[in-house]
Amino acid sequence: DIQMTQSPSSVSAYVGDRVTITCRASQDISRWLAWYQHKPGEAPKLLLYTASSLQSDVPSRFSGSGSGTDFTLTISSLQSEDFATYYCQQTSNFPLTFGGGTKVELK
Amino acid sequence: QSQLQESGPGLVKPSETLSLTCTVSGGSISNSGHYWGWIRQPPGKGLEWIGSSDYTGSTYYNPSLKSRVTISVDTSRNQFSLILSSVTAADTAVYYCARPRLGFLDWLTWGQGTLVTVSS
């Protein structure tokens, strides 16, 4: 099984800050990686797929990069509605696996 | 665009069987090659993929749950279901059903989620 490791587990930031979250796969997954935003009481929301493709209606301040085993999610200028937990997920093959999550909190 | 809605008991006793159904609206469950899925989130923890099935009955399960999980698709009702046997308190979670982008394994459309508590 492919293990997904996210860091940091939490980050405190101000509105307007640039925030970077990393995700590492235990083996090469090419660009088969998705990122989700999850707010309490809501369903997770797909932000990016195939590492860097922005899902429709997702603001352009979200971007993704990486391939192989190392990936990054960047929020270029944090907005108040971006405070949430973010998860990566490998979409290379079954069994599907998620990272442990990164909680983005207001500083 | 499909919409998904979970339904089922919110309370299950330890050692008994958890059963949830996901009703798909806005599209046929058998009209595509989707692998419909179940994902859960225990309180205070992260997301965990439970398993997936396509409309033909081809299934994949999380190895850690495989001995207790069955996912099936009912095309006549446009529903898919989750059965988890021999539950314990560790199975307490919000359970989501989800649909991936066509032909891929990332989750585009989610149900609202349903909390299932395992307690006597």
Side-chain angles (χ1 to χ4, degrees):
Chain A
D1 301 357
I2 301 172
Q3 307 304 313
M4 306 301 294
T5 304
Q6 274 183 248
S7 62
S9 57
S10 66
V11 57
S12 297
Y14 293 108
V15 171
D17 282 353
R18 181 183 183 89
V19 173
T20 299
I21 298 167
T22 63
C23 179
R24 175 164 289 176
S26 61
Q27 63 190 70
D28 188 342
I29 58 170
S30 185
R31 295 177 60 81
W32 296 111
L33 186 94
W35 289 98
Y36 301 86
Q37 177 190 68
H38 193 196
K39 297 179 179 179
E42 298 182 8
K45 176 184 178 181
L46 179 64
L47 298 176
L48 297 119
Y49 55 90
T50 55
S52 61
S53 298
L54 201 64
Q55 175 58 27
S56 176
D57 295 334
V58 173
S60 59
R61 62 181 179 274
F62 291 93
S63 63
S65 64
S67 66
T69 60
D70 294 313
F71 302 86
T72 299
L73 170 68
T74 299
I75 309 172
S76 61
S77 178
L78 196 66
Q79 302 300 300
S80 57
E81 60 267 31
D82 301 336
F83 291 100
T85 301
Y86 294 84
Y87 294 93
C88 62
Q89 180 216 337
Q90 65 85 9
T91 62
S92 176
N93 52 34
F94 292 112
L96 304 176
T97 44
F98 289 90
T102 297
K103 187 173 185 179
V104 177
E105 301 174 297
L106 180 62
K107 195 169 186 177
Chain B
Q1 180 82 342
S2 298
Q3 292 186 318
L4 286 70
Q5 176 69 57
E6 305 90 351
S7 59
L11 181 65
V12 181
K13 289 182 169 53
S15 79
E16 296 191 346
T17 296
L18 178 160
S19 181
L20 296 174
T21 296
C22 183
T23 300
V24 179
S25 58
S28 172
I29 201 169
S30 58
N31 253 0
S32 63
H34 290 305
Y35 268 93
W36 306 88
W38 289 94
I39 295 146
R40 70 181 183 179
Q41 183 181 35
K45 296 188 177 182
L47 300 172
E48 178 181 37
W49 172 74
I50 300 170
S52 298
S53 177
D54 74 1
Y55 78 99
T56 69
S58 174
T59 56
Y60 294 88
Y61 298 128
N62 187 321
S64 69
L65 299 170
K66 187 174 183 177
S67 63
R68 299 192 291 129
V69 173
T70 301
I71 294 175
S72 59
V73 176
D74 185 340
T75 56
S76 66
R77 297 187 177 190
N78 227 37
Q79 296 175 333
F80 63 104
S81 299
L82 168 69
I83 294 176
L84 181 65
S85 63
S86 305
V87 297
T88 70
D91 295 309
T92 294
V94 175
Y95 285 77
Y96 297 97
C97 60
R99 176 183 72 88
R101 291 187 306 125
L102 180 59
F104 297 96
L105 299 176
D106 40 52
W107 303 105
L108 176 61
T109 305
W110 298 66
Q112 65 185 27
T114 187
L115 173 63
V116 179
T117 301
V118 178
S119 175
S120 55

